[in-house]
Amino acid sequence: METTDLEKYLQSAIAEHLDGDASRFEELWERVPGFGQTIRGLTRDIGDVQWKSRTQDGWYCVDTGSGHDVYHQERGIVSGRRTFASEAAAGTYFLRVLGYLR
């Protein structure tokens, strides 16, 4: 199976900025300028990933103003909603659930 651009970027960032320690992944949001924006752009390319509330099926990581909600939506039914205080925590959880971060 071919490695996606998202996987390549994550592997590179972890190796370069965290000495290969993926358990410190949340640190990348502070260490790497524009990291969150890059992640949002690369996840849009994999499909079924949304960063704003919509009516489409798929996974969501949405800024609520007071935190970030991560959930799956299918046919208008939301499941597995989890709320996080920061985009870094939400993004880390989100990427783990999708299998891009181990």
Side-chain angles (χ1 to χ4, degrees):
M1 177 187 274
E2 185 177 328
T3 303
T4 67
D5 289 341
L6 174 61
E7 289 169 312
K8 290 176 189 173
Y9 180 72
L10 294 176
Q11 291 168 1
S12 172
I14 290 167
E16 181 178 344
H17 300 285
L18 303 176
D19 298 324
D21 185 0
S23 70
R24 297 173 37 218
F25 186 75
E26 286 184 37
E27 293 178 30
L28 292 173
W29 265 262
E30 291 183 23
R31 289 178 170 234
V32 179
F35 185 75
Q37 183 176 355
T38 301
I39 293 298
R40 287 188 296 276
L42 290 170
T43 55
R44 282 187 194 106
D45 295 341
I46 62 174
D48 292 337
V49 175
Q50 304 296 323
W51 291 87
K52 294 182 181 183
S53 292
R54 299 187 182 178
T55 58
Q56 298 171 328
D57 290 348
W59 281 97
Y60 285 78
C61 186
V62 179
D63 182 351
T64 64
S66 61
H68 287 76
D69 283 352
V70 176
Y71 57 90
H72 187 262
Q73 178 173 297
E74 190 168 338
R75 297 182 186 161
I77 298 172
V78 172
S79 62
R81 183 183 303 261
R82 297 224 16 214
T83 301
F84 298 88
S86 69
E87 180 183 34
T92 299
Y93 172 78
F94 182 68
L95 291 168
R96 283 197 172 112
V97 166
L98 292 175
Y100 289 100
L101 185 60
R102 291 166 184 71

mmCIF file with all atom_site columns, all heavy atoms in Angstrom, residues 41-57:
data_model
loop_
_atom_site.group_PDB
_atom_site.id
_atom_site.type_symbol
_atom_site.label_atom_id
_atom_site.label_alt_id
_atom_site.label_comp_id
_atom_site.label_asym_id
_atom_site.label_entity_id
_atom_site.label_seq_id
_atom_site.pdbx_PDB_ins_code
_atom_site.Cartn_x
_atom_site.Cartn_y
_atom_site.Cartn_z
_atom_site.occupancy
_atom_site.B_iso_or_equiv
_atom_site.pdbx_formal_charge
_atom_site.auth_seq_id
_atom_site.auth_comp_id
_atom_site.auth_asym_id
_atom_site.auth_atom_id
_atom_site.pdbx_PDB_model_num
ATOM 1   N N   . GLY A 1 41 ? -5.065  20.739 5.641  1.00 0.00 ? 41 GLY A N   1
ATOM 2   C CA  . GLY A 1 41 ? -4.968  20.621 4.188  1.00 0.00 ? 41 GLY A CA  1
ATOM 3   C C   . GLY A 1 41 ? -4.740  19.190 3.724  1.00 0.00 ? 41 GLY A C   1
ATOM 4   O O   . GLY A 1 41 ? -5.376  18.721 2.777  1.00 0.00 ? 41 GLY A O   1
ATOM 5   N N   . LEU A 1 42 ? -3.861  18.470 4.396  1.00 0.00 ? 42 LEU A N   1
ATOM 6   C CA  . LEU A 1 42 ? -3.552  17.098 3.992  1.00 0.00 ? 42 LEU A CA  1
ATOM 7   C C   . LEU A 1 42 ? -4.701  16.137 4.298  1.00 0.00 ? 42 LEU A C   1
ATOM 8   O O   . LEU A 1 42 ? -4.908  15.175 3.565  1.00 0.00 ? 42 LEU A O   1
ATOM 9   C CB  . LEU A 1 42 ? -2.268  16.620 4.676  1.00 0.00 ? 42 LEU A CB  1
ATOM 10  C CG  . LEU A 1 42 ? -0.985  17.284 4.185  1.00 0.00 ? 42 LEU A CG  1
ATOM 11  C CD1 . LEU A 1 42 ? 0.196   16.924 5.077  1.00 0.00 ? 42 LEU A CD1 1
ATOM 12  C CD2 . LEU A 1 42 ? -0.695  16.908 2.736  1.00 0.00 ? 42 LEU A CD2 1
ATOM 13  N N   . THR A 1 43 ? -5.456  16.366 5.376  1.00 0.00 ? 43 THR A N   1
ATOM 14  C CA  . THR A 1 43 ? -6.576  15.473 5.674  1.00 0.00 ? 43 THR A CA  1
ATOM 15  C C   . THR A 1 43 ? -7.731  15.704 4.716  1.00 0.00 ? 43 THR A C   1
ATOM 16  O O   . THR A 1 43 ? -8.503  14.779 4.461  1.00 0.00 ? 43 THR A O   1
ATOM 17  C CB  . THR A 1 43 ? -7.076  15.610 7.127  1.00 0.00 ? 43 THR A CB  1
ATOM 18  O OG1 . THR A 1 43 ? -7.410  16.964 7.388  1.00 0.00 ? 43 THR A OG1 1
ATOM 19  C CG2 . THR A 1 43 ? -6.041  15.105 8.104  1.00 0.00 ? 43 THR A CG2 1
ATOM 20  N N   . ARG A 1 44 ? -7.861  16.884 4.175  1.00 0.00 ? 44 ARG A N   1
ATOM 21  C CA  . ARG A 1 44 ? -8.914  17.122 3.173  1.00 0.00 ? 44 ARG A CA  1
ATOM 22  C C   . ARG A 1 44 ? -8.691  16.238 1.949  1.00 0.00 ? 44 ARG A C   1
ATOM 23  O O   . ARG A 1 44 ? -9.641  15.826 1.302  1.00 0.00 ? 44 ARG A O   1
ATOM 24  C CB  . ARG A 1 44 ? -8.931  18.593 2.756  1.00 0.00 ? 44 ARG A CB  1
ATOM 25  C CG  . ARG A 1 44 ? -9.591  19.478 3.755  1.00 0.00 ? 44 ARG A CG  1
ATOM 26  C CD  . ARG A 1 44 ? -9.740  20.905 3.233  1.00 0.00 ? 44 ARG A CD  1
ATOM 27  N NE  . ARG A 1 44 ? -10.079 21.785 4.315  1.00 0.00 ? 44 ARG A NE  1
ATOM 28  C CZ  . ARG A 1 44 ? -9.249  22.659 4.873  1.00 0.00 ? 44 ARG A CZ  1
ATOM 29  N NH1 . ARG A 1 44 ? -8.033  22.812 4.393  1.00 0.00 ? 44 ARG A NH1 1
ATOM 30  N NH2 . ARG A 1 44 ? -9.637  23.410 5.867  1.00 0.00 ? 44 ARG A NH2 1
ATOM 31  N N   . ASP A 1 45 ? -7.434  15.952 1.656  1.00 0.00 ? 45 ASP A N   1
ATOM 32  C CA  . ASP A 1 45 ? -7.087  15.137 0.491  1.00 0.00 ? 45 ASP A CA  1
ATOM 33  C C   . ASP A 1 45 ? -7.453  13.665 0.642  1.00 0.00 ? 45 ASP A C   1
ATOM 34  O O   . ASP A 1 45 ? -7.535  12.951 -0.335 1.00 0.00 ? 45 ASP A O   1
ATOM 35  C CB  . ASP A 1 45 ? -5.585  15.238 0.187  1.00 0.00 ? 45 ASP A CB  1
ATOM 36  C CG  . ASP A 1 45 ? -5.169  16.634 -0.239 1.00 0.00 ? 45 ASP A CG  1
ATOM 37  O OD1 . ASP A 1 45 ? -6.045  17.420 -0.652 1.00 0.00 ? 45 ASP A OD1 1
ATOM 38  O OD2 . ASP A 1 45 ? -3.962  16.939 -0.151 1.00 0.00 ? 45 ASP A OD2 1
ATOM 39  N N   . ILE A 1 46 ? -7.657  13.182 1.878  1.00 0.00 ? 46 ILE A N   1
ATOM 40  C CA  . ILE A 1 46 ? -7.958  11.761 2.063  1.00 0.00 ? 46 ILE A CA  1
ATOM 41  C C   . ILE A 1 46 ? -9.445  11.465 2.000  1.00 0.00 ? 46 ILE A C   1
ATOM 42  O O   . ILE A 1 46 ? -9.852  10.326 1.994  1.00 0.00 ? 46 ILE A O   1
ATOM 43  C CB  . ILE A 1 46 ? -7.348  11.200 3.368  1.00 0.00 ? 46 ILE A CB  1
ATOM 44  C CG1 . ILE A 1 46 ? -7.922  11.887 4.592  1.00 0.00 ? 46 ILE A CG1 1
ATOM 45  C CG2 . ILE A 1 46 ? -5.839  11.282 3.338  1.00 0.00 ? 46 ILE A CG2 1
ATOM 46  C CD1 . ILE A 1 46 ? -7.462  11.285 5.913  1.00 0.00 ? 46 ILE A CD1 1
ATOM 47  N N   . GLY A 1 47 ? -10.281 12.497 1.960  1.00 0.00 ? 47 GLY A N   1
ATOM 48  C CA  . GLY A 1 47 ? -11.723 12.314 1.816  1.00 0.00 ? 47 GLY A CA  1
ATOM 49  C C   . GLY A 1 47 ? -12.419 11.990 3.122  1.00 0.00 ? 47 GLY A C   1
ATOM 50  O O   . GLY A 1 47 ? -11.819 11.496 4.065  1.00 0.00 ? 47 GLY A O   1
ATOM 51  N N   . ASP A 1 48 ? -13.701 12.300 3.170  1.00 0.00 ? 48 ASP A N   1
ATOM 52  C CA  . ASP A 1 48 ? -14.531 12.031 4.344  1.00 0.00 ? 48 ASP A CA  1
ATOM 53  C C   . ASP A 1 48 ? -13.997 12.641 5.631  1.00 0.00 ? 48 ASP A C   1
ATOM 54  O O   . ASP A 1 48 ? -14.214 12.112 6.716  1.00 0.00 ? 48 ASP A O   1
ATOM 55  C CB  . ASP A 1 48 ? -14.748 10.526 4.547  1.00 0.00 ? 48 ASP A CB  1
ATOM 56  C CG  . ASP A 1 48 ? -15.605 9.923  3.456  1.00 0.00 ? 48 ASP A CG  1
ATOM 57  O OD1 . ASP A 1 48 ? -16.364 10.675 2.823  1.00 0.00 ? 48 ASP A OD1 1
ATOM 58  O OD2 . ASP A 1 48 ? -15.520 8.713  3.244  1.00 0.00 ? 48 ASP A OD2 1
ATOM 59  N N   . VAL A 1 49 ? -13.264 13.742 5.531  1.00 0.00 ? 49 VAL A N   1
ATOM 60  C CA  . VAL A 1 49 ? -12.761 14.454 6.702  1.00 0.00 ? 49 VAL A CA  1
ATOM 61  C C   . VAL A 1 49 ? -13.188 15.908 6.588  1.00 0.00 ? 49 VAL A C   1
ATOM 62  O O   . VAL A 1 49 ? -12.938 16.551 5.576  1.00 0.00 ? 49 VAL A O   1
ATOM 63  C CB  . VAL A 1 49 ? -11.222 14.363 6.786  1.00 0.00 ? 49 VAL A CB  1
ATOM 64  C CG1 . VAL A 1 49 ? -10.698 15.199 7.937  1.00 0.00 ? 49 VAL A CG1 1
ATOM 65  C CG2 . VAL A 1 49 ? -10.784 12.919 6.928  1.00 0.00 ? 49 VAL A CG2 1
ATOM 66  N N   . GLN A 1 50 ? -13.840 16.404 7.631  1.00 0.00 ? 50 GLN A N   1
ATOM 67  C CA  . GLN A 1 50 ? -14.351 17.777 7.632  1.00 0.00 ? 50 GLN A CA  1
ATOM 68  C C   . GLN A 1 50 ? -13.806 18.531 8.837  1.00 0.00 ? 50 GLN A C   1
ATOM 69  O O   . GLN A 1 50 ? -13.661 17.962 9.919  1.00 0.00 ? 50 GLN A O   1
ATOM 70  C CB  . GLN A 1 50 ? -15.887 17.771 7.693  1.00 0.00 ? 50 GLN A CB  1
ATOM 71  C CG  . GLN A 1 50 ? -16.559 16.980 6.605  1.00 0.00 ? 50 GLN A CG  1
ATOM 72  C CD  . GLN A 1 50 ? -16.307 17.548 5.222  1.00 0.00 ? 50 GLN A CD  1
ATOM 73  O OE1 . GLN A 1 50 ? -16.255 18.757 5.042  1.00 0.00 ? 50 GLN A OE1 1
ATOM 74  N NE2 . GLN A 1 50 ? -16.146 16.682 4.251  1.00 0.00 ? 50 GLN A NE2 1
ATOM 75  N N   . TRP A 1 51 ? -13.565 19.827 8.657  1.00 0.00 ? 51 TRP A N   1
ATOM 76  C CA  . TRP A 1 51 ? -13.072 20.669 9.740  1.00 0.00 ? 51 TRP A CA  1
ATOM 77  C C   . TRP A 1 51 ? -14.097 21.726 10.139 1.00 0.00 ? 51 TRP A C   1
ATOM 78  O O   . TRP A 1 51 ? -13.842 22.565 10.981 1.00 0.00 ? 51 TRP A O   1
ATOM 79  C CB  . TRP A 1 51 ? -11.751 21.306 9.343  1.00 0.00 ? 51 TRP A CB  1
ATOM 80  C CG  . TRP A 1 51 ? -10.665 20.280 9.269  1.00 0.00 ? 51 TRP A CG  1
ATOM 81  C CD1 . TRP A 1 51 ? -10.339 19.505 8.186  1.00 0.00 ? 51 TRP A CD1 1
ATOM 82  C CD2 . TRP A 1 51 ? -9.816  19.846 10.327 1.00 0.00 ? 51 TRP A CD2 1
ATOM 83  N NE1 . TRP A 1 51 ? -9.331  18.634 8.511  1.00 0.00 ? 51 TRP A NE1 1
ATOM 84  C CE2 . TRP A 1 51 ? -8.983  18.831 9.822  1.00 0.00 ? 51 TRP A CE2 1
ATOM 85  C CE3 . TRP A 1 51 ? -9.664  20.234 11.662 1.00 0.00 ? 51 TRP A CE3 1
ATOM 86  C CZ2 . TRP A 1 51 ? -8.015  18.193 10.596 1.00 0.00 ? 51 TRP A CZ2 1
ATOM 87  C CZ3 . TRP A 1 51 ? -8.700  19.598 12.428 1.00 0.00 ? 51 TRP A CZ3 1
ATOM 88  C CH2 . TRP A 1 51 ? -7.894  18.595 11.892 1.00 0.00 ? 51 TRP A CH2 1
ATOM 89  N N   . LYS A 1 52 ? -15.285 21.680 9.522  1.00 0.00 ? 52 LYS A N   1
ATOM 90  C CA  . LYS A 1 52 ? -16.397 22.557 9.873  1.00 0.00 ? 52 LYS A CA  1
ATOM 91  C C   . LYS A 1 52 ? -17.662 21.716 9.867  1.00 0.00 ? 52 LYS A C   1
ATOM 92  O O   . LYS A 1 52 ? -17.767 20.751 9.109  1.00 0.00 ? 52 LYS A O   1
ATOM 93  C CB  . LYS A 1 52 ? -16.538 23.686 8.859  1.00 0.00 ? 52 LYS A CB  1
ATOM 94  C CG  . LYS A 1 52 ? -15.387 24.647 8.860  1.00 0.00 ? 52 LYS A CG  1
ATOM 95  C CD  . LYS A 1 52 ? -15.592 25.760 7.877  1.00 0.00 ? 52 LYS A CD  1
ATOM 96  C CE  . LYS A 1 52 ? -14.372 26.663 7.941  1.00 0.00 ? 52 LYS A CE  1
ATOM 97  N NZ  . LYS A 1 52 ? -14.486 27.812 7.081  1.00 0.00 ? 52 LYS A NZ  1
ATOM 98  N N   . SER A 1 53 ? -18.629 22.085 10.705 1.00 0.00 ? 53 SER A N   1
ATOM 99  C CA  . SER A 1 53 ? -19.897 21.351 10.740 1.00 0.00 ? 53 SER A CA  1
ATOM 100 C C   . SER A 1 53 ? -20.574 21.418 9.380  1.00 0.00 ? 53 SER A C   1
ATOM 101 O O   . SER A 1 53 ? -20.684 22.491 8.788  1.00 0.00 ? 53 SER A O   1
ATOM 102 C CB  . SER A 1 53 ? -20.827 21.949 11.798 1.00 0.00 ? 53 SER A CB  1
ATOM 103 O OG  . SER A 1 53 ? -20.309 21.721 13.074 1.00 0.00 ? 53 SER A OG  1
ATOM 104 N N   . ARG A 1 54 ? -21.001 20.283 8.899  1.00 0.00 ? 54 ARG A N   1
ATOM 105 C CA  . ARG A 1 54 ? -21.690 20.167 7.609  1.00 0.00 ? 54 ARG A CA  1
ATOM 106 C C   . ARG A 1 54 ? -22.689 19.036 7.706  1.00 0.00 ? 54 ARG A C   1
ATOM 107 O O   . ARG A 1 54 ? -22.846 18.401 8.750  1.00 0.00 ? 54 ARG A O   1
ATOM 108 C CB  . ARG A 1 54 ? -20.695 19.891 6.499  1.00 0.00 ? 54 ARG A CB  1
ATOM 109 C CG  . ARG A 1 54 ? -19.695 21.000 6.349  1.00 0.00 ? 54 ARG A CG  1
ATOM 110 C CD  . ARG A 1 54 ? -18.821 20.815 5.176  1.00 0.00 ? 54 ARG A CD  1
ATOM 111 N NE  . ARG A 1 54 ? -17.877 21.936 5.190  1.00 0.00 ? 54 ARG A NE  1
ATOM 112 C CZ  . ARG A 1 54 ? -16.942 22.109 4.347  1.00 0.00 ? 54 ARG A CZ  1
ATOM 113 N NH1 . ARG A 1 54 ? -16.775 21.251 3.379  1.00 0.00 ? 54 ARG A NH1 1
ATOM 114 N NH2 . ARG A 1 54 ? -16.136 23.127 4.422  1.00 0.00 ? 54 ARG A NH2 1
ATOM 115 N N   . THR A 1 55 ? -23.311 18.724 6.589  1.00 0.00 ? 55 THR A N   1
ATOM 116 C CA  . THR A 1 55 ? -24.288 17.632 6.578  1.00 0.00 ? 55 THR A CA  1
ATOM 117 C C   . THR A 1 55 ? -23.737 16.380 5.910  1.00 0.00 ? 55 THR A C   1
ATOM 118 O O   . THR A 1 55 ? -24.450 15.399 5.773  1.00 0.00 ? 55 THR A O   1
ATOM 119 C CB  . THR A 1 55 ? -25.574 18.067 5.844  1.00 0.00 ? 55 THR A CB  1
ATOM 120 O OG1 . THR A 1 55 ? -25.233 18.460 4.516  1.00 0.00 ? 55 THR A OG1 1
ATOM 121 C CG2 . THR A 1 55 ? -26.251 19.210 6.574  1.00 0.00 ? 55 THR A CG2 1
ATOM 122 N N   . GLN A 1 56 ? -22.486 16.394 5.494  1.00 0.00 ? 56 GLN A N   1
ATOM 123 C CA  . GLN A 1 56 ? -21.884 15.251 4.806  1.00 0.00 ? 56 GLN A CA  1
ATOM 124 C C   . GLN A 1 56 ? -21.510 14.155 5.796  1.00 0.00 ? 56 GLN A C   1
ATOM 125 O O   . GLN A 1 56 ? -21.209 14.421 6.964  1.00 0.00 ? 56 GLN A O   1
ATOM 126 C CB  . GLN A 1 56 ? -20.628 15.698 4.064  1.00 0.00 ? 56 GLN A CB  1
ATOM 127 C CG  . GLN A 1 56 ? -20.914 16.727 2.994  1.00 0.00 ? 56 GLN A CG  1
ATOM 128 C CD  . GLN A 1 56 ? -19.632 17.309 2.427  1.00 0.00 ? 56 GLN A CD  1
ATOM 129 O OE1 . GLN A 1 56 ? -18.634 17.434 3.118  1.00 0.00 ? 56 GLN A OE1 1
ATOM 130 N NE2 . GLN A 1 56 ? -19.667 17.666 1.155  1.00 0.00 ? 56 GLN A NE2 1
ATOM 131 N N   . ASP A 1 57 ? -21.508 12.913 5.315  1.00 0.00 ? 57 ASP A N   1
ATOM 132 C CA  . ASP A 1 57 ? -21.032 11.793 6.115  1.00 0.00 ? 57 ASP A CA  1
ATOM 133 C C   . ASP A 1 57 ? -19.519 11.877 6.242  1.00 0.00 ? 57 ASP A C   1
ATOM 134 O O   . ASP A 1 57 ? -18.834 12.364 5.340  1.00 0.00 ? 57 ASP A O   1
ATOM 135 C CB  . ASP A 1 57 ? -21.399 10.461 5.453  1.00 0.00 ? 57 ASP A CB  1
ATOM 136 C CG  . ASP A 1 57 ? -22.884 10.169 5.493  1.00 0.00 ? 57 ASP A CG  1
ATOM 137 O OD1 . ASP A 1 57 ? -23.618 10.869 6.213  1.00 0.00 ? 57 ASP A OD1 1
ATOM 138 O OD2 . ASP A 1 57 ? -23.311 9.219  4.805  1.00 0.00 ? 57 ASP A OD2 1
#
